[in-house]
């Protein structure tokens, strides 16, 4: 069933595609603890390279097993749940790191630009480019245990 709004046919809603998370080394060894500035830089480089903020293809070596994620619309518990959710909600997106800054002894923030398409509320929804500020906390083992995102534009 499809609808017509102002003379334009709207296709029926379809399920968002499943993300491609094959090949992620979920049980890989965790990275050794380092100075937070070194972690922040290495983490940002990996984030930019793999684009996990928009495709879910995380590098588990950086993350604590009890990792949590929160943004104005979503909260997840566990790295696999985060990866699956990110990879399902977004498609054909690009994440460009703008800067990284250590903000506390156990926190750093990456500001990054997102652009592409979303799969909700329907597949192919164009995302107007905007800046995301992701603040990461680091546990006593030197692993990222939480991420909290804030957006430069209001959420819907």
């Amino acid at each position: 069933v499809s609808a017509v709004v102002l003379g334009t046919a709207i296709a029926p809603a379809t399920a968002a595609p499943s993300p491609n998370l094959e090949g992620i080394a979920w049980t890989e060894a965790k990275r050794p603890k380092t100075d937070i500035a070194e972690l922040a830089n290495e983490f940002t480089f990996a984030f930019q390279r793999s684009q996990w903020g928009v495709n879910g293809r995380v590098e588990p070596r950086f993350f604590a097993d009890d990792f949590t994620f929160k943004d104005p619309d979503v909260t997840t518990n566990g790295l696999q749940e985060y990866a699956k959710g990110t990879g399902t909600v977004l498609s054909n997106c690009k994440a460009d790191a703008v800067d990284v800054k250590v903000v506390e002894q156990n926190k750093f923030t990456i500001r990054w630009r997102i652009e592409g398409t979303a799969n909700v509320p329907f597949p192919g929804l164009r995302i107007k480019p905007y800046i995301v500020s992701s603040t990461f906390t680091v546990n006593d083992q030197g692993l990222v245990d939480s991420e909290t995102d804030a957006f430069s534009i209001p959420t819907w």
Side-chain angles (χ1 to χ4, degrees):
V1 176
S2 63
V4 177
V5 178
L6 300 176
T8 303
I10 298 175
T14 57
S18 295
N20 177 8
L21 302 179
E22 287 184 33
I24 294 178
W26 296 110
T27 59
E28 74 180 329
K30 302 298 185 184
R31 74 181 290 286
K33 183 176 181 178
T34 60
D35 170 87
I36 191 161
E38 184 178 335
L39 168 62
N41 288 327
E42 186 181 333
F43 188 93
T44 302
F45 180 77
F47 172 88
Q48 181 70 46
R49 179 185 63 240
S50 74
Q51 297 283 296
W52 74 60
V54 294
N55 65 22
R57 297 198 53 79
V58 294
E59 295 185 25
R61 66 192 180 97
F62 288 103
F63 295 91
D65 292 337
D66 60 351
F67 173 78
T68 60
F69 169 83
K70 182 176 180 168
D71 74 15
D73 301 313
V74 176
T75 298
T76 63
N77 293 300
L79 188 58
Q80 289 189 37
E81 184 179 337
Y82 164 79
K84 183 178 178 186
T86 299
T88 301
V89 171
L90 302 172
S91 64
N92 301 314
C93 286
K94 185 173 181 186
D96 290 316
V98 175
D99 61 35
V100 59
K101 184 185 304 184
V102 174
V103 293
E104 290 182 26
Q105 185 177 349
N106 69 334
K107 282 186 184 176
F108 63 94
T109 298
I110 300 173
R111 286 186 333 111
W112 53 284
R113 181 179 180 273
I114 184 172
E115 180 177 11
T117 56
N119 293 317
V120 292
F122 53 84
L125 179 65
R126 174 107 168 76
I127 298 172
K128 176 183 175 181
Y130 64 95
I131 298 293
V132 179
S133 293
S134 297
T135 300
F136 300 92
T137 59
V138 179
N139 67 16
D140 291 339
Q141 290 77 45
L143 300 172
V144 172
D145 63 2
S146 74
E147 174 182 349
T148 303
D149 286 357
F151 306 138
S152 64
I153 60 174
T155 61
W156 317 10

